Amino acid sequence: MEYGWLSIIPPLLAILLAIKTRQVFLSLFLGIIAGWIIISDGNVLRGIELSVQSVVDVFKDAGNTRVIIFCALVGSLITLTQASGGVQGFVDLIQKRRIVTNRKRAAVFAYITGVLVFIESSISCLVTGTIFHPIFEKLKISREKLAYICDTTSSPVCILIPLNAWGAYVISLLEKENLSNPVSIFISTIPMNFYAILTVLFAAFIVFSFKDYGTMKKAEIRSKDFGKTIADGAVPMISQDVSSTKPKKNIPHRAVNMILPIAIMIIMMPVGLLITGNGDLTAGSGTTSVLWSVLSAIVTAGIISLAQQLLNLKEIMEFTLKGIAGLVPLSILMVLA
């Protein structure tokens, strides 16, 4: 059945409500209800019933479930690398080597990191965010700028490269259409992916010129001049308890405690694609590989903490669960989206 202009009502309603109320979860769910009411030919009760069922049905798809679990486990990796002194050790190393000495260089290195970690968009955001969040905080660079860099160097970069989870997914779609040589077709379409190309180039211009416009300029002024990296009233998706986890007292701060788990996570992504694709990188499961990657990183962080006697098993489990709890809002967002 064709719904015509009615089909734009649910997303438009969700967007307007989110802007007006600042309640993202409620706005998304009301948008879902509106959509199902339309599908139910105006039957409100039936629409509400189907809305609830549609949320439950998200977990029927194994890929969706893996992504949601991944989102929750991201918090565990963050808390473990922070509690073990890895994040602080990395920040100390950056400062000692004078690699990042000012706000512009921090933005440039964050951009480069995001581009280089092209194996999967979620992992790109996780790596860039985890590494540069404390650096941006220290240099008083707005959270908006970090979010912008993470976003523009994740999906837009990944969709331009065949040998990653995004490429594997697109190629699998082309194969389902019985097209010959889907890899070549995908590669030939890359120059026409104008949104991704322009997004990456414009982000590069913003970062390397260190010029800001509009609301981003206001955010940077607020952050630099008043020390407020987060806008008043803003509620980050990652709980403050997670993002501000301090290293355990009286332990050494070693950069390797963050670098090694993240390196394992990056390496495990193509390994996972190869395994799930039976040796064919482009045929692998992106969601499975992502989940394996973050689990491998968490296990690595735990082993490092135990081996160096930084955290005991009880503390590792506590920080793991703390991280999961802190990412529940993001997981809920993924379910509703």
Side-chain angles (χ1 to χ4, degrees):
M1 181 176 178
E2 297 291 337
Y3 294 97
W5 65 270
L6 290 175
S7 61
I8 70 170
I9 291 178
L12 189 61
L13 176 66
I15 293 170
L16 292 176
L17 283 174
I19 294 173
K20 181 67 177 177
T21 65
R22 302 287 181 179
Q23 298 297 321
V24 177
F25 303 127
L26 177 62
S27 301
L28 282 172
F29 190 61
L30 289 176
I32 292 171
I33 292 175
W36 280 109
I37 289 175
I38 292 171
I39 293 173
S40 303
D41 296 324
N43 188 324
V44 176
L45 293 178
R46 179 62 176 163
I48 294 173
E49 177 192 350
L50 291 173
S51 298
V52 174
Q53 187 59 44
S54 69
V55 172
V56 175
D57 288 345
V58 168
F59 296 95
K60 283 185 176 181
D61 183 88
N64 290 340
T65 305
R66 285 190 287 263
V67 170
I68 293 165
I69 294 173
F70 165 80
C71 289
L73 291 175
V74 164
S76 299
L77 180 59
I78 293 173
T79 51
L80 284 174
T81 53
Q82 288 176 326
S84 64
V87 173
Q88 187 58 51
F90 183 80
V91 173
D92 294 343
L93 178 65
I94 290 290
Q95 292 176 332
K96 183 179 179 181
R97 299 287 179 87
R98 298 187 63 80
I99 297 173
V100 176
T101 55
N102 54 52
R103 302 171 83 247
K104 179 178 179 179
R105 293 193 72 176
V108 168
F109 273 95
Y111 177 86
I112 293 172
T113 301
V115 171
L116 291 178
V117 186
F118 58 80
I119 54 171
E120 210 281 327
S121 56
S122 299
I123 289 180
S124 175
C125 286
L126 173 58
V127 171
T128 307
T130 301
I131 291 175
F132 288 95
H133 169 256
I135 296 173
F136 274 43
E137 289 290 314
K138 190 174 185 64
L139 295 174
K140 300 303 177 186
I141 304 174
S142 69
R143 193 69 63 86
E144 290 93 331
K145 176 63 74 67
L146 178 58
Y148 173 71
I149 293 173
C150 288
D151 182 66
T152 54
T153 59
S154 56
S155 301
V157 172
C158 292
I159 195 61
L160 297 174
I161 299 172
L163 300 178
N164 57 30
W166 278 70
Y169 176 68
V170 174
I171 291 168
S172 70
L173 293 178
L174 293 173
E175 287 176 340
K176 289 178 181 178
E177 298 298 323
N178 296 318
L179 296 172
S180 60
N181 205 341
V183 176
S184 297
I185 293 174
F186 175 67
I187 293 173
S188 67
T189 63
I190 290 175
M192 292 180 283
N193 199 330
F194 301 119
Y195 169 77
I197 293 171
L198 291 175
T199 297
V200 174
L201 292 177
F202 186 71
F205 167 75
I206 292 293
V207 166
F208 284 93
S209 68
F210 210 62
K211 293 182 179 180
D212 297 299
Y213 305 92
T215 53
M216 183 66 77
K217 186 174 183 178
K218 293 178 182 178
E220 283 297 280
I221 292 172
R222 180 202 71 225
S223 185
K224 182 181 179 181
D225 296 346
F226 301 98
K228 295 181 179 180
T229 56
I230 301 177
D232 293 333
V235 181
M237 282 295 169
I238 297 180
S239 167
Q240 192 70 13
D241 290 338
V242 172
S243 60
S244 61
T245 299
K246 301 296 183 184
K248 184 180 176 181
K249 292 182 179 179
N250 302 319
I251 65 170
H253 300 159
R254 300 187 178 104
V256 68
N257 294 352
M258 184 192 78
I259 294 173
L260 186 57
I262 287 179
I264 292 295
M265 181 173 63
I266 294 172
I267 292 169
M268 278 302 298
M269 187 64 203
V271 170
L273 288 172
L274 283 170
I275 293 173
T276 56
N278 294 319
D280 184 356
L281 195 71
T282 62
S285 169
T287 57
T288 300
S289 302
V290 162
L291 185 57
W292 287 1
S293 296
V294 74
L295 284 171
S296 300
I298 291 170
V299 170
T300 302
I303 291 173
I304 288 174
S305 298
L306 287 173
Q308 297 180 20
Q309 297 183 337
L310 304 174
L311 303 171
N312 57 42
L313 190 58
K314 180 175 180 292
E315 290 170 326
I316 289 173
M317 290 306 302
E318 286 176 350
F319 281 115
T320 299
L321 294 175
K322 177 183 177 181
I324 291 173
L327 267 291
V328 166
L330 180 59
S331 300
I332 294 173
L333 180 66
M334 294 299 295
V335 172
L336 296 176

